[in-house]
Amino acid sequence: MLAVALAVTLGAAQAATPSQTTISPKSIDAATQLRERALNDDTGYKVVESLTTEVGPRMAGSEADARAVAWAQAKFKQLGFDRVWTEPVTFPKWERRSESAQVLGDHSQKLAVTALGGSPGGTIEGEVVRFADLASLQAAPAGSLAGKIAFIDHEMERAKDGSGYGMGSRIRSAGPSAAIRAGAAAYMMRSAGTDSHRNPHTGITHFDDGLAPIPSAALAAPDAEQLARLVALGKPVRVKLALDCGWNGTATSYNVIGEMRGRSKPDEVVVIGGHLDSWDLGTGAIDDGAGVAIAMGAGKLIGDMKQRPARTIRVVAFANEEQGLFGGRAYGEKHVADVRKHQIGAESDFGAGRVYAFSTSAPDYAKDAAKQIADVLAPLGIAYTPGEGGPGPDVGPFAANGLAWAALRQDGTDYFDFHHTPDDTLDKIDPKALAQNVAAYAVFAYLAADAQGDFGSKPGKVTPPHE
Ligand code: ZN
Ligand code: ZN
């Protein structure tokens, strides 16, 4: 009697907390074989080659964006995905038509410049006022820059984890509003990048509510240095900035989704993806053709397995990440009621460098399973780094509503040499490194999809760490 009572008590106690999530030895064996197969497979590279060659640059809302959506649907089908569909995403449409900048007067010369996404058009001639950093511009008194061009000359730091982009992107997003508050007629910044080529880096900017937007642009690094030297000569330096660009109504694009159905729990999904849109200067190879290719390649390799995982692998090619996470937010909103059916999610959006670290948001009861996944990833040169990293950008909005996430962090040492420039092209991708990424995503997605138990997805507001 006592033994029975004890068993009942233990059973009740276990029911109160989720049981441990585990992964079977058979799944581990299958994932190990999958890993080796992926390392010798070029599906990922062929996918990014196809996208960057056949579609090319594909700015959100453009004619090429629509071609990219058709391309993604056709590619999913060609790769053998069981279900392929689209979900609409509507957003304001921004267009770039032409852009130039020129130093006027005694030292007349052209500057390599590009409009920031979201900038209005306009032609401004004004004296350049240089600021070493964002804080200095933010401290400029109201009206002090009347009729002038504010110029932030911050050099972004190179880092494996891309941490220098935190300040680089803040200068891009917050600089224009600071310039307006000081009365400036236009805004220029040294590009948020780490190269020394005459390639300006574009990227979205933002104007605070209640401010009248001003033409805002980024200079290539050598041109920013040139301008700084001209200013240092001590006489007023006047620049003519001419941008023809701006908002033009709204556009509808699509999240394109493909599924490899699971064998026993097909309504539960592991979501992996990248974003389909790119900026318009390059062909969007590393940002983010690579991410789309990595996720599609991993999905295809899992779909080809003799025995599929229990759950479905869902690959999402997200719409319009670049101008404000529109695709990721739309996906998160549309599927929020199904958060528990989403086993875990991860997005690849940091180029095509090798994955060097893995982490997840797994709660205590799933940490052993996360470690099992890490053990299969380890031979790929991937360290287990619990507590570091965060969800990819398009997974972020859903993660804030309770989606469990994983981070497969890539070596981004040279990512910001090419990011958002004309140099973001296919030749920057090392096919072997891309295959390592596909192997990592395939292993992670397969094991998460075949685990017994979950990784903690549940409805509720959380603040995921910023990657
Ligand atoms: Zn991206
Ligand atoms: Zn980007």
Side-chain angles (χ1 to χ4, degrees):
M1 272 306 283
L2 185 63
V4 170
L6 194 62
V8 168
T9 307
L10 280 172
Q14 278 170 356
T17 53
S19 54
Q20 288 286 317
T21 299
T22 58
I23 297 172
S24 74
K26 198 176 160 213
S27 299
I28 298 291
D29 282 349
T32 303
Q33 290 175 32
L34 174 65
R35 183 187 69 209
E36 298 309 307
R37 193 155 56 87
L39 284 175
N40 293 298
D41 184 276
D42 65 356
T43 302
Y45 189 79
K46 282 190 171 146
V47 168
V48 68
E49 180 179 23
S50 168
L51 175 60
T52 56
T53 305
E54 296 163 39
V55 179
R58 47 197 181 278
M59 191 157 69
S62 67
E63 170 274 335
D65 185 21
R67 278 191 286 126
V69 168
W71 171 91
Q73 291 173 274
K75 190 60 68 178
F76 274 128
K77 287 174 189 158
Q78 185 193 332
L79 293 173
F81 280 72
D82 303 313
R83 289 180 64 205
V84 181
W85 75 98
T86 59
E87 296 177 356
V89 181
T90 297
F91 46 83
K93 179 182 177 181
W94 185 79
E95 293 175 336
R96 182 199 314 276
R97 291 174 287 269
S98 70
E99 50 203 11
S100 66
Q102 171 144 19
V103 177
L104 303 172
D106 292 347
H107 311 290
S108 175
Q109 54 190 293
K110 285 186 177 170
L111 297 170
V113 75
T114 192
L116 299 181
S119 171
T123 299
I124 303 292
E125 287 186 26
E127 182 186 337
V128 172
V129 182
R130 179 185 173 275
F131 296 88
D133 50 36
L134 179 60
S136 313
L137 175 56
Q138 286 172 329
S144 62
L145 299 181
K148 296 182 177 173
I149 299 176
F151 164 44
I152 298 186
D153 190 20
H154 167 82
E155 183 177 354
M156 186 179 136
E157 276 175 43
R158 184 182 295 279
K160 185 178 184 179
D161 66 358
S163 53
Y165 189 55
M167 180 51 76
S169 62
R170 265 200 297 288
I171 287 170
R172 196 181 67 219
S173 58
S177 292
I180 294 165
R181 290 198 173 90
Y187 172 78
M188 296 196 302
M189 62 180 282
R190 177 177 171 135
S191 286
T194 50
D195 61 302
S196 58
H197 293 178
R198 295 195 76 182
N199 289 328
H201 298 234
T202 190
I204 197 72
T205 189
H206 165 81
F207 298 93
D208 291 346
D209 288 345
L211 300 180
I214 56 174
S216 298
L219 291 161
D223 295 73
E225 292 176 4
Q226 181 81 331
L227 187 57
R229 280 190 296 270
L230 287 166
V231 169
L233 293 176
K235 287 187 289 185
V237 176
R238 290 180 66 79
V239 162
K240 177 180 178 181
L241 176 66
L243 304 181
D244 182 8
C245 56
W247 298 106
N248 184 10
T250 59
T252 296
S253 187
Y254 298 87
N255 287 334
V256 187
I257 303 172
E259 281 189 349
M260 291 293 192
R261 302 286 283 171
R263 72 171 191 279
S264 57
K265 295 179 178 173
D267 293 339
E268 296 182 20
V269 300
V270 169
V271 175
I272 54 176
H275 66 85
L276 187 56
D277 69 307
S278 76
W279 283 107
D280 50 334
L281 304 179
T283 60
I286 63 165
D287 186 14
D288 184 29
V292 170
I294 289 161
M296 280 188 175
K300 186 219 180 322
L301 285 162
I302 294 170
D304 286 351
M305 293 173 82
K306 274 200 210 79
Q307 182 167 338
R308 293 269 184 95
R311 296 175 188 80
T312 290
I313 307 298
R314 179 179 289 178
V315 174
V316 184
F318 291 98
N320 196 352
E321 185 275 343
E322 292 293 2
Q323 298 174 12
L325 306 179
F326 288 94
R329 287 193 278 148
Y331 184 88
E333 280 164 26
K334 183 173 172 66
H335 298 278
V336 68
D338 289 335
V339 63
R340 280 188 197 280
K341 290 189 173 175
H342 283 70
Q343 176 81 337
I344 194 166
E347 185 190 23
S348 171
D349 184 21
F350 199 58
R354 286 174 185 270
V355 178
Y356 69 91
F358 168 73
S359 60
T360 77
S361 63
D364 283 344
Y365 66 84
K367 283 202 160 63
D368 288 354
K371 176 69 167 63
Q372 286 182 286
I373 296 173
D375 288 344
V376 185
L377 293 172
L380 296 171
I382 299 172
Y384 185 40
T385 58
E388 295 181 17
D394 287 307
V395 169
F398 205 179
N401 283 317
L403 175 73
W405 54 264
L408 290 147
R409 299 164 71 202
Q410 293 166 287
D411 185 334
T413 303
D414 66 358
Y415 183 57
F416 293 101
D417 290 346
F418 313 117
H419 179 254
H420 296 184
T421 76
D423 244 355
D424 178 2
T425 48
L426 183 66
D427 52 293
K428 309 308 183 303
I429 294 181
D430 170 3
K432 288 279 177 209
L434 196 72
Q436 186 258 14
N437 275 267
V438 174
Y441 270 81
V443 162
F444 152 70
Y446 170 81
L447 289 173
D450 212 44
Q452 283 107 46
D454 65 77
F455 284 86
S457 287
K458 61 171 193 232
K461 296 282 177 203
V462 291
T463 305
H466 199 64
E467 199 167 15

